[in-house]
Structures are given as C-alpha cells and as structure tokens.
Amino acid sequence: MARHHHHHAVLGPRRAGLTCLIPPLFLALLVCTAVFSANVPNNQSGGGWREDEKDDNDDVDNDEQHRRRGNATKTFPVLSFNYEHIRIPFEVSLWILLALLMKLGFHVIPRVSRVVPESCLLILVGLLVGGAIKAVRQTAPVLDSRLFFLYLLPPIILDAGYFLPVRPFAENLGTILLLAVAGTLWNAFFVGGATYAVCLLAGGRLAGADLLSCLLFGSIVSAVDPVAVLAVFEEIHINELLYILVFGESLLNDAVTVVLYHLFEEFSHAGTVTIADALLGVLSFFAVSCGGILIGVVYGLLGAFTSRFTSRTRVIEPLFVFLYSYMAYLSAEVFHLSGIMSLIACGVITRPYVEANISHKSYTTVKYFLKMWSSVSETLIFIFLGVSTVAGPHEWNWTFVTVTVVLCLVSRVLGVVGLAYVVNKFRIIKLTKKDQFIVAYGGLRGAIAFSLGFLLTQHQMKHLFLTAIITVIFFTVFVQGITIRPLVELLEVKKKRECDDSINEEIHTQFLDHLLVGIEDVCGHYGHHHWKDKLSRFNKTYVKKWLISGERSTQPQLLSFYNKMEMKQALMLVESGGGGNIFKPTAPHTDPRFPSRRRADVLEARQKEIRKMLHSNMQKDRQRLRSYSRHDLMEDPFEDDVSEARFRKRAEMGRRMSHYLTVPAKRPEAPPSVRRVAFQPEHRVYTYDDDESAREPTEARTDPGLPDAVRPQNQEEDDQQRLAALRRLSDPGPV
Amino acid sequence: MREGRTKGGTWRRGCVSCPSIRAPKVPLAFSGGAMGSWQARPEQQHYYHQLAQKTGFSAEQIKNLHHRFRELSANGETIRNQQEGESGRLEELDLGHFLMVMSHFRPPRHKSGEDERCAVRRQKLRFLFNMHDTDNDGTITLVEYRKVVEELLSKSGAIGHEAAKAIADAAMLEVASTNVPHMAPDEFYEGITFEHFEQILNGLEMESRMHIRFLDVDTSTVRCGKAGSTSTP
C-alpha cells in the first residue's frame, strides 16, 4: 500500500486531479456507446448477443439491395457506410474494450480501489450503464445464460483450477467436501423450507408459492459462487487454509447445485416428489460429480499425452492446454454433468505433466493467457450483472426479499458452525472460531445464481425469485465484500505468508514426507502418508513414463524444483546485466578460500555496477507488482524486458545459461563456485568444498569409513558415544 | 523398515537411535486377542506411568506402542541394530528410547498457547536437526547436508550425485545469506547452527506438519492397536 502512495505522490497533485477525471470520462464513453449500439435498429427484443437468423437475413437482403441499386445508378460510391456488416463483432469488442478501460480507470484512483473491491465498482458501472440505456428507452443487453455458461465462466474456472494449490486442497479435502455437499444441502433445504413457511404465513401475493418452487429457489440461492469469492478473496490475501476452504467449497458445490436444480425444476412441474425420486436424486449426484471428474481426468491425460510430442511445434503448445480443457467442460455439459468439476480435474491433472513437457515460453504464455481471459471474463460478468439488474423485469416484495436475505445469512452461519463442530472432531488443525467466522462470512453469491434463476422457464414466481436473488447477490457482494477486509484486519486473521521459493523448505518438505512414511511403517499404521507415498510411486513408475517426454520422466521432484529455481535466477541475472566476468570458468576446486582475495579488487567496481543495476531493476519490479491481485503474475517479474537483443549480446553468458535452460537434467560440468556467485553477487559466501580437508579434528572423528572395532575401546569413548547418542534423543519432557 | 524403501534409506540413517529396524509386514488390524492374553504387572504399570510422564503419551497409547515394540523386537526387550554400527549409535533400543522417539511425532494439542506451540516446534526441529547433524558438533556442515540431499536423490544415479552437490551448495548459500547477510570476503560460513536452522524452516510450521495421526490423544479415532482413520478431513 505504501508503494501505491509513493507512486501517486510522484505524479504530483495537479496530475492526480486530472487522473481522477479519467474514470468518469470512460464511463461517459461507455454509456454513449451502449446507447448508440442499442439505438442501431435491431430486431431483437430483450435479447442478448445471440446471432439470430433474422440478422443474417437482414444482412443478405441489404447486400442484395445494395447490389441491385449499384447496377441501376451511375455513380460509383467512393465511400459507403455498412455498419450492419460488422455490427456484432464491433459491439462485442467495444464493450470489452470499454469494460477494460473502466478497470484501468479504477486503479488510477488510489483510494477507492483500496476500500471497495473491484467487483463492486464494476457492478456499479453496470448499473449506471443500464440506467443510461433505460433512460433512452432502449432495451439493454441482458446477461444471457448461454453466453455466461459457455463463454464467460470457463476461463475463470480453468484459471482457478490450473493454479489450484493441490497440496493444501488435498489435505483439507474432507472438510471441503463436507462444506460443499452437506453445507449446500442444508442451505438449500433450510432456505427453501423457511421461505415456504413464510410464504404460507404471509399470504397475499406469496400464497402462490408451493413447496417445490421454494425449494428450487433455495437451491439456486444457496450456492457459494467461485467468481465472487475469487474476486474478493484475492484482494485480502488471507491465509492459505481459509482461502482453500472457501474457494474449494465454491468449486465443489457445483455438482450439488446442478443436481438440486434439475431435480426441483423437473418436479416443480410434476408437482410431487416420491421417495424413489429422492433416491434417484442421490444417485444422480454421484453420477454428476464422479462423471464430471472422470471426463476431466480423461481429457487431462489426453492433453498431457499430446504435449509429450510437441517438441517440434512449440508455438501451438498453449492451445492444446486450452482446447482440451474447454472440450472437457463442454463434454461434461452435454450430459448435464458438472462442467466445473470436470474443468478443475482437467486442469489439476494436466498441469504437472504439461509443465514438464512444454517450453518455458509456452508455460509463460499459458499462464498469461489464462490470467488475461479470466480477468476479462470477470470484468464482463460483473458489468453485465449490473446492466441486467436495471433491465430485467422486477417484482419487489419487501417481505420476501428481506426474509430471503436474512435466511441466507442465518443458514450460512448455522451451517458452517455446525459442520465445523463435526469436522473438528477429525481434524488435527482445528478450525477456530475466527476461521469459522471468515468461512461463513466469505460465502458470497454471484452470477451463477443469477444465471440459474434466469434460466427458469416460465414460472409464475420467476420475477419475484429473480429480484430476491439479485438482492442477495448485491448484499453479499457489496456489504460482505466491502466489510470483509476491515474485519480481517480487526480479527487479526493470519495473512498469506510471503511466497518465496526456498530450496531448504523444499528439501525438508520432501525429507519430512519420507520420514513420516517411515514412522508410519514402524507404527504399523497405514495412514494417509502411506497412501500418498503409494500414489506418488505409482505416478513415478507408470504414469510419468507415458506422459512426460525424454529424461524429464525420471527426474525426481527435488531436481525439477531446483532447475526451475535456477532458471529463474539465471534469467533474472541476465536481465539485470550481471557481468561477464562472473561467469568466466575458474578452477573451483583449487583454492576456494583464496579466490575471494584475488578477485576482490578486480570485482569491487563490478560489484558496484551490479548492485546498481539490480537495484534499479528491483524498483521496476516493485512498480510493476504494485497492484497485487490474481491477475498479476508475481512469479515472472522479468518477462517484459528480456529482449532478444540483450540475449544475443551476452552470447558468452548466454551459451552457458542456455545450456542450463535447454538441458536441465544433464549438467555434469557445472562448477559450484560459479553458481555461488551467481545467486548473490554482493554476498561473498564460500562454503568450502569437501575436497579440502580443512577440518581435521572433526573429520577424523566422524569418518564413517572406520568401523567401530578399529577404534580404541575406552570406557570414556563409550560413555562419550552413549552420551552423544542420548543427547540426540533430546528428551522432550512432559508436554 | 523395508530396506532402501525410502529414498536411500533416510529412515535408516535418521531416526537417530532407531537404525534399520527390520519390520515384519504388519497386518492392518492388530489382533485384539493377543492384547488380552498379556496382563500388565504392577511394576510394569509403574513403569508405564513413568514413561507416560516422560513422553506425554496416555497409558493406552503406551500399551499399543509396547505391543508394536514387541512385534518389532520379536518379543525381546530391545530392538537390535541390524546394520553396521555407525559411530555414535546405540546398538540396542529399549522401550523407553522407542517411546521417546515416537513422542516427537505427536500432533499438537488443540488448546495449546503460543509458547507451547513454539516449544513443540522447537522440539521437532531439534529432532530433525539431530538427524542431519551426524557428528553432533552442533552444526550441519556442507558434507552432512550433501549426504541428506544425496539420499533424497539416491535413485537418480550419477546425475543425482552431481545435482545433489549443487542443490546442497545452493541450500547452504541460502541459509547463509538469510542469516548472515553481511559477511566479509574472507569469512566462511561454517555450518548451519540450530538457530539458523530454526530460522530457515520457520515457514513450514513444523508443529502441524510433523505428526502421525495415530499418535494423537485428542481425536476420537485412536483405538486399541487399529490403524487410525485413513481419511483426512
């Protein structure tokens, strides 16, 4: 935040005043275009972006008339105006462009974007635009459900699934599943049932609601929405556990929502539900979720397999990732299975294998495109939500709406508290009251609920329901979205820790895994470490061989991690202009103690240069990373500036580096001393080589080659050994 | 412990006082019948009580672990070291030592305060540190660290050996530059001391990662001898 200030202080007060004018300017532009595009004659009433048959016919007619007219007249039209021809793509592009300009505008105003989450601002913009269109008495485009589910939602889900932190997700899977399934069921039935009761009591307009419609309404409004959750949680940087709980729940509850929605929609027409139907519903739930995951896994494996052969056509590699995932989503939707779960499964399965196969540039491309598309989608969704609110036919009923909002809140809190109580019996790291509060408070509803409501076929209560749904969405996004940040500060909830790639942590994570498997074996207990180990063995011996090309298939995980880190550091150094001196191959094993002295004077000046360059680059990085959100890429601060010219200029260094980059597995001659300096040029740390026997006394004592028998059997020695061993037992004492 | 099962026998080298314990393949469920036939004598009760005090296990858990111990030691009193004795290692392991080692893998209690968690974390980190520091001089030298990484990469053959060196070097460098940022040109980084070790692994939250569910007193899944619940909520 301080950097935020700094940057804007630099601009100066006058310019800051001017920049404040930019968003309203864009807003005005957006409104004008919207009105203009609505004004142009179209034959659709309350339509969306759908390309109609009528439109095509109109185009054809126009062309024919034009041609006929052309034959009749004598003058050749130098300039002609044919807007109809390009209307649809033009409007789409213009909308997207202006939406993104709005987003740009928000970040220019420092204060607002810190207090109010972006989603709220975008909805407000949508409201304004919708209002403007309505004022001109035109029909505004509504968030078409097909558009939403087929084009706007998949990029966001794919982005989330591809970058899902798998380890915490798997560790907390039980809690997440419980929250997603049991929590959503509880919410749906509670809200539905209570609404029905209220409707019965209130009478009047509401008396028309029967139990099934209320349950349908409950199932629509009770699902936590991944888009809204992502939009808000990304900005508050909460700790990983809470993030993965709420986010994982929002993803996995899709299956429940799909089943409940279809179930109740079918039966609300039929009128009654029997026990057999309920059982079928349960069966359907398993089919929907497992089927979705299965489809995702199949496509994921296909994608990974394909990427094995792409070494000659690197340019199209990213496309495979996107297309296979999108096909997984569509295939799942064909059978009314859970498309979201299929997409997540595909992303999770694809990622480790594809990343081992594709080039570094392709990897960056995949990351960038996913972030870009999901960012655009999110912006569009929120703006459209605002526009649709103004446009849609509303039916406001104070009782119904307030009851709904209150019930949603109450049921969410009760659900989370109850489930947390149950789940804490089985968890090692229990969920504290603070955690439970954040999980309950973070249950935001969003565009999925709206689209599902919109999809309701002609239903006498449809408008009533839609109004209530919109109110709940607005309430959660605005009130909860805005207040969650100060609440997190107030309650001092643990924040996300700074993500730094630490080779030590990686080593110890792996070490701990092995150690725990060993201990479990000693205890004779087949715990989850055991099964995790089994799975990773299976992965290593069979799956990786098939899906990863070349030597990477046998590369242990620690090595891949290290190579990645190396590459990053190397590229960073190249970017910062680290001197060629450093990479002159020196004889590393001769005298590690003295090279520092010999080279000290030579590299002093060089050091200053390097430090200056690194410093200036750090500043650039900081400016770029100023707005920390999901849509910025933290891990690659250097991708913009590394240009071809600079690579070519440092050919000598480049040759050595490129050896790293293209053949990471084989590095027989990499001299350690080179890398020592490479990491931290200003730090002269030389850890000495074991070729030097610099530590005579300790080496002799710990030389593992000497068997015990050779050593003199002194009583003292024995005692010493025993003492040393006992010391290592480190008596814990009563805890 | 099946030989070489964990990468390069990390288990073999580590766990200090338990060198390779040849464990027989264990059936999933302990035979409850065997439990009943073995009565606890009064002096044994007292011994258990003492152990409970020292290690923090409950009496029931000690009974379970003793049963397991008897299986591993083929009904003897001690578990013998089957490997070539490395220097400074105990030849035999009795119940007390076994329990002491196991107590390091107990999960943290739910209602522990900040200090207690720190203490638990420190204790676990101490255990790990001692595993790495084979010569007991209080620092992990480059040689020792290299051995650790080598064992992790032991399956990769020659490549693994070279890479292990590089990785260990990089790791040491990282520890050094984090903890001792301003070193003069002729200074050495001698080795990782316990404080530095603690510092560098601060982010891992050892107290909540280094545990076996079986050894937990708080959860309701601990039953006599049975493998605890394998699902992880």
Side-chain angles (χ1 to χ4, degrees), chain B residues 28-202:
Chain B
L28 256 178
F30 275 22
S31 46
M35 275 296 295
S37 63
W38 161 74
Q39 297 295 331
R41 296 185 297 276
E43 52 267 30
Q44 228 169 11
Q45 294 273 31
H46 180 64
Y47 184 41
Y48 282 176
H49 189 66
Q50 259 186 338
L51 285 173
Q53 288 284 352
K54 233 182 354 164
T55 60
F57 282 124
S58 72
E60 184 187 336
Q61 285 184 312
I62 293 188
K63 261 199 232 145
N64 290 341
L65 286 170
H66 194 172
H67 193 89
R68 179 71 188 143
F69 181 78
R70 287 163 79 81
E71 285 206 2
L72 293 174
S73 66
N75 276 328
E77 283 306 313
T78 60
I79 298 176
R80 297 198 183 276
N81 181 1
Q82 309 262 353
Q83 285 299 107
E84 286 300 310
E86 295 183 7
S87 68
R89 301 212 178 280
L90 285 182
E91 291 298 324
E92 298 180 341
L93 190 62
D94 72 354
L95 183 62
H97 295 142
F98 181 66
L99 285 178
M100 203 120 68
V101 172
M102 286 299 144
S103 70
H104 286 99
F105 292 94
R106 262 187 305 119
R109 278 192 219 272
H110 175 43
K111 308 259 194 257
S112 51
E114 194 51 43
D115 299 334
E116 222 183 298
R117 292 171 81 87
C118 264
V120 168
R121 187 190 312 155
R122 182 169 280 231
Q123 172 210 355
K124 299 195 185 208
L125 282 175
R126 185 91 221 167
F127 184 81
L128 279 185
F129 187 80
N130 291 337
M131 273 180 77
H132 294 327
D133 184 20
T134 45
D135 61 358
N136 266 333
D137 59 352
T139 57
I140 303 179
T141 59
L142 185 63
V143 182
E144 290 163 348
Y145 211 1
R146 272 197 189 153
K147 278 232 184 58
V148 172
V149 180
E150 257 171 41
E151 286 184 352
L152 276 182
L153 293 178
S154 63
K155 287 265 177 75
S156 319
I159 299 173
H161 191 69
E162 286 301 325
K165 265 194 182 178
I167 293 178
D169 292 349
M172 285 289 272
L173 192 63
E174 193 183 86
V175 178
S177 52
T178 324
N179 287 309
V180 195
H182 308 292
M183 280 182 74
D186 348 339
E187 273 181 46
F188 287 108
Y189 187 63
E190 303 284 334
I192 308 179
T193 62
F194 184 59
E195 284 76 32
H196 293 172
F197 190 69
E198 247 187 310
Q199 173 66 34
I200 198 84
L201 291 185
N202 208 13

Side-chain angles (χ1 to χ4, degrees), chain A residues 251-262:
Chain A
L251 289 176
L252 295 186
N253 70 14
D254 182 56
V256 182
T257 312
V258 164
V259 168
L260 280 181
Y261 180 79
H262 284 123

Side-chain angles (χ1 to χ4, degrees), chain A residues 447-692:
Chain A
I448 290 187
F450 176 79
S451 307
L452 283 178
F454 204 71
L455 271 178
L456 283 175
T457 50
Q458 261 320 312
H459 200 282
Q460 52 155 323
M461 311 282 291
K462 177 175 170 181
H463 299 309
L464 190 65
F465 286 169
L466 214 51
T467 313
I469 292 174
I470 290 184
T471 317
V472 172
I473 295 178
F474 270 49
F475 182 81
T476 54
V477 171
F478 276 90
V479 174
Q480 289 179 225
I482 295 182
T483 55
I484 202 169
R485 198 197 297 243
L487 273 176
V488 160
E489 306 276 337
L490 193 71
L491 292 175
E492 291 170 2
V493 179
K494 248 195 312 182
K495 292 278 187 105
K496 179 150 98 170
R497 64 188 187 96
E498 289 302 314
C499 167
D500 41 358
D501 282 331
S502 165
I503 186 87
N504 279 293
E505 285 191 4
E506 181 70 19
I507 291 177
H508 283 281
T509 312
Q510 295 223 353
F511 186 78
L512 211 55
D513 279 341
H514 291 306
L515 181 61
L516 290 173
V517 175
I519 298 273
E520 279 192 354
D521 232 13
V522 166
C523 288
H525 161 77
Y526 290 133
H528 87 277
H529 285 108
H530 178 92
W531 296 114
K532 201 162 68 157
D533 189 58
K534 269 213 153 64
L535 184 66
S536 91
R537 269 165 196 279
F538 172 71
N539 188 21
K540 212 165 305 232
T541 42
Y542 298 109
V543 185
K544 273 194 181 172
K545 283 222 183 72
W546 275 98
L547 298 180
I548 301 184
S549 61
E551 305 105 9
R552 300 266 200 115
S553 58
T554 49
Q555 202 180 52
Q557 189 191 346
L558 186 59
L559 210 49
S560 340
F561 179 85
Y562 178 64
N563 291 335
K564 258 197 220 153
M565 229 180 74
E566 274 260 284
M567 193 143 57
K568 250 190 259 177
Q569 301 258 6
L571 283 175
M572 259 205 313
L573 199 61
V574 166
E575 140 90 352
S576 72
N581 266 3
I582 300 180
F583 291 100
K584 275 211 189 82
T586 57
H589 296 281
T590 51
D591 207 350
R593 205 192 298 224
F594 296 101
S596 58
R597 271 188 223 136
R598 243 192 286 122
R599 283 195 265 163
D601 26 36
V602 176
L603 289 176
E604 258 299 323
R606 198 72 196 160
Q607 248 191 35
K608 279 215 191 93
E609 250 186 74
I610 294 167
R611 230 177 264 141
K612 211 171 26 151
M613 274 189 266
L614 278 177
H615 190 66
S616 70
N617 267 35
M618 292 289 197
Q619 286 223 309
K620 270 197 272 174
D621 288 348
R622 280 207 201 101
Q623 287 176 7
R624 243 174 299 175
L625 303 173
R626 179 175 21 115
S627 60
Y628 179 65
S629 87
R630 173 170 64 102
H631 305 301
D632 291 349
L633 299 172
M634 290 292 280
E635 287 134 49
D636 295 308
F638 47 82
E639 69 273 11
D640 301 339
D641 287 359
V642 178
S643 63
E644 285 298 331
R646 286 167 77 172
F647 261 105
R648 251 180 270 124
K649 217 179 5 171
R650 288 162 181 77
E652 194 183 287
M653 194 163 39
R655 238 187 311 118
R656 183 174 287 284
M657 282 297 123
S658 66
H659 197 71
Y660 279 147
L661 299 177
T662 54
V663 190
K666 296 200 207 96
R667 268 182 300 158
E669 89 292 356
S673 72
V674 170
R675 226 168 299 111
R676 276 180 203 139
V677 189
F679 277 131
Q680 234 99 49
E682 53 257 278
H683 299 150
R684 305 314 203 102
V685 176
Y686 288 96
T687 53
Y688 54 96
D689 219 49
D690 56 355
D691 290 343
E692 309 295 302

Side-chain angles (χ1 to χ4, degrees), chain A residues 222-241:
Chain A
S222 64
V224 176
D225 186 75
V227 180
V229 164
L230 270 178
V232 167
F233 268 53
E234 271 303 321
E235 301 189 5
I236 59 179
H237 308 323
I238 214 163
N239 70 54
E240 208 171 43
L241 172 68

Side-chain angles (χ1 to χ4, degrees), chain A residues 398-467:
Chain A
W398 275 104
T399 337
F400 192 72
V401 168
T402 43
V403 160
T404 309
V405 171
V406 167
L407 278 178
C408 281
L409 280 176
V410 166
S411 82
R412 174 89 183 152
V413 170
L414 284 179
V416 168
V417 169
L419 286 173
Y421 177 73
V422 169
V423 110
N424 271 342
K425 289 209 159 48
F426 298 98
R427 280 178 70 93
I428 297 287
I429 311 169
K430 321 264 181 207
L431 295 175
T432 63
K433 287 274 183 283
K434 257 194 257 175
D435 293 339
Q436 292 171 29
F437 175 72
I438 296 289
V439 170
Y441 207 67
L444 307 175
R445 314 310 200 259
I448 290 187
F450 176 79
S451 307
L452 283 178
F454 204 71
L455 271 178
L456 283 175
T457 50
Q458 261 320 312
H459 200 282
Q460 52 155 323
M461 311 282 291
K462 177 175 170 181
H463 299 309
L464 190 65
F465 286 169
L466 214 51
T467 313

Side-chain angles (χ1 to χ4, degrees), chain A residues 205-455:
Chain A
R205 170 72 184 90
L206 301 178
D210 58 326
L211 182 62
L212 279 173
S213 346
C214 285
L215 284 176
L216 178 61
F217 172 69
S219 71
I220 296 177
V221 89
S222 64
V224 176
D225 186 75
V227 180
V229 164
L230 270 178
V232 167
F233 268 53
E234 271 303 321
E235 301 189 5
I236 59 179
H237 308 323
I238 214 163
N239 70 54
E240 208 171 43
L241 172 68
L242 291 177
Y243 171 76
I244 201 72
L245 281 180
V246 183
F247 182 59
E249 180 202 346
S250 69
L251 289 176
L252 295 186
N253 70 14
D254 182 56
V256 182
T257 312
V258 164
V259 168
L260 280 181
Y261 180 79
H262 284 123
L263 197 71
F264 289 133
E265 173 141 56
E266 284 290 317
F267 296 132
S268 71
H269 292 299
T272 50
V273 181
T274 62
I275 296 291
D277 295 327
L279 280 179
L280 278 179
V282 171
L283 207 63
S284 158
F285 166 70
F286 283 110
V288 161
S289 46
C290 298
I293 295 178
L294 192 67
I295 291 187
V297 167
V298 165
Y299 273 99
L301 290 175
L302 273 177
F305 190 63
T306 314
S307 71
R308 189 179 160 187
F309 303 106
T310 55
S311 52
R312 288 173 215 271
T313 46
R314 294 275 184 201
V315 188
I316 56 173
E317 273 174 338
L319 272 179
F320 284 117
V321 175
F322 303 140
L323 287 174
Y324 274 110
S325 314
Y326 194 46
M327 298 273 288
Y329 179 76
L330 293 176
S331 311
E333 288 289 324
V334 166
F335 300 103
H336 277 298
L337 303 175
S338 167
I340 290 184
M341 291 178 86
S342 145
L343 206 49
I344 300 284
C346 185
V348 166
I349 296 284
T350 307
R351 187 178 180 194
Y353 306 111
V354 154
E355 280 191 5
N357 282 331
I358 61 180
S359 70
H360 182 72
K361 283 194 187 151
S362 300
Y363 170 68
T364 310
T365 310
V366 167
K367 242 201 306 197
Y368 246 129
F369 265 81
L370 281 178
K371 301 267 177 215
M372 184 184 79
W373 272 327
S374 68
S375 183
V376 171
S377 278
E378 202 178 280
T379 313
L380 280 177
I381 287 177
F382 284 117
I383 289 190
F384 265 119
L385 205 55
V387 173
S388 313
T389 310
V390 178
H394 289 301
E395 191 180 328
W396 183 269
N397 183 310
W398 275 104
T399 337
F400 192 72
V401 168
T402 43
V403 160
T404 309
V405 171
V406 167
L407 278 178
C408 281
L409 280 176
V410 166
S411 82
R412 174 89 183 152
V413 170
L414 284 179
V416 168
V417 169
L419 286 173
Y421 177 73
V422 169
V423 110
N424 271 342
K425 289 209 159 48
F426 298 98
R427 280 178 70 93
I428 297 287
I429 311 169
K430 321 264 181 207
L431 295 175
T432 63
K433 287 274 183 283
K434 257 194 257 175
D435 293 339
Q436 292 171 29
F437 175 72
I438 296 289
V439 170
Y441 207 67
L444 307 175
R445 314 310 200 259
I448 290 187
F450 176 79
S451 307
L452 283 178
F454 204 71
L455 271 178

